[in-house]
Amino acid sequence: MDKQIVNILSDIQQNMKEFDRNMKEFDRNLKEFGSDLKEIKETVNRIEVSQTEDVISLLKVGNQRSEKDFHYLNTRITDIDKRVFTLENRAEG
C-alpha cells in the first residue's frame, strides 16, 4: 500500500513538473504573441498615416490641376468673349 502511495505521489510530481514546463512554454508563447500583436498595431498605424498622407497628396494634385484648368478655361472664355464683342461691333458699324 505504501508503495502504491509513493507511486501515485511520484506520478503526481511528474505531472506537476510537466504542467510547469507547459505553463512556462505557454507564457513564452503568450509573450511572443504580445510582441507580434504590438508589431501588427505599429504596422497598421504606419499604414493609416501613410494612407492619410497619400490622400492629402492626391487631393493637392487634383486641386492644382483644377486651378490650372480653371485659369486656362477662364482665359479662353475671356478671349472668345472679346472676339465676339469685336465681331458684334463690326457688324453694327
Side-chain angles (χ1 to χ4, degrees):
M1 181 76 151
D2 288 340
K3 191 170 185 168
Q4 284 181 329
I5 292 174
V6 170
N7 285 338
I8 290 172
L9 289 175
S10 178
D11 286 345
I12 290 172
Q13 189 177 23
Q14 284 296 97
N15 287 339
M16 289 302 294
K17 286 181 182 178
E18 186 177 340
F19 178 76
D20 188 46
R21 281 193 299 271
N22 288 339
M23 285 304 294
K24 287 179 182 175
E25 184 178 342
F26 177 75
D27 189 45
R28 279 193 303 273
N29 288 339
L30 189 59
K31 287 179 183 174
E32 202 173 295
F33 176 76
S35 176
D36 290 346
L37 186 60
K38 184 179 177 184
E39 286 181 36
I40 290 169
K41 285 182 178 181
E42 289 171 355
T43 301
V44 167
N45 287 337
R46 279 195 309 273
I47 290 171
E48 286 177 347
V49 167
S50 177
Q51 283 183 336
T52 300
E53 291 171 354
D54 289 347
V55 168
I56 289 171
S57 295
L58 287 170
L59 290 173
K60 285 181 179 179
V61 168
N63 187 40
Q64 289 172 350
R65 287 181 182 166
S66 295
E67 286 180 13
K68 286 180 183 177
D69 290 346
F70 171 78
H71 290 298
Y72 171 77
L73 291 173
N74 191 39
T75 302
R76 290 285 293 149
I77 289 171
T78 302
D79 289 344
I80 291 170
D81 191 42
K82 287 179 186 176
R83 289 169 56 192
V84 168
F85 180 76
T86 303
L87 290 174
E88 287 174 344
N89 282 341
R90 280 188 197 168
E92 290 176 1

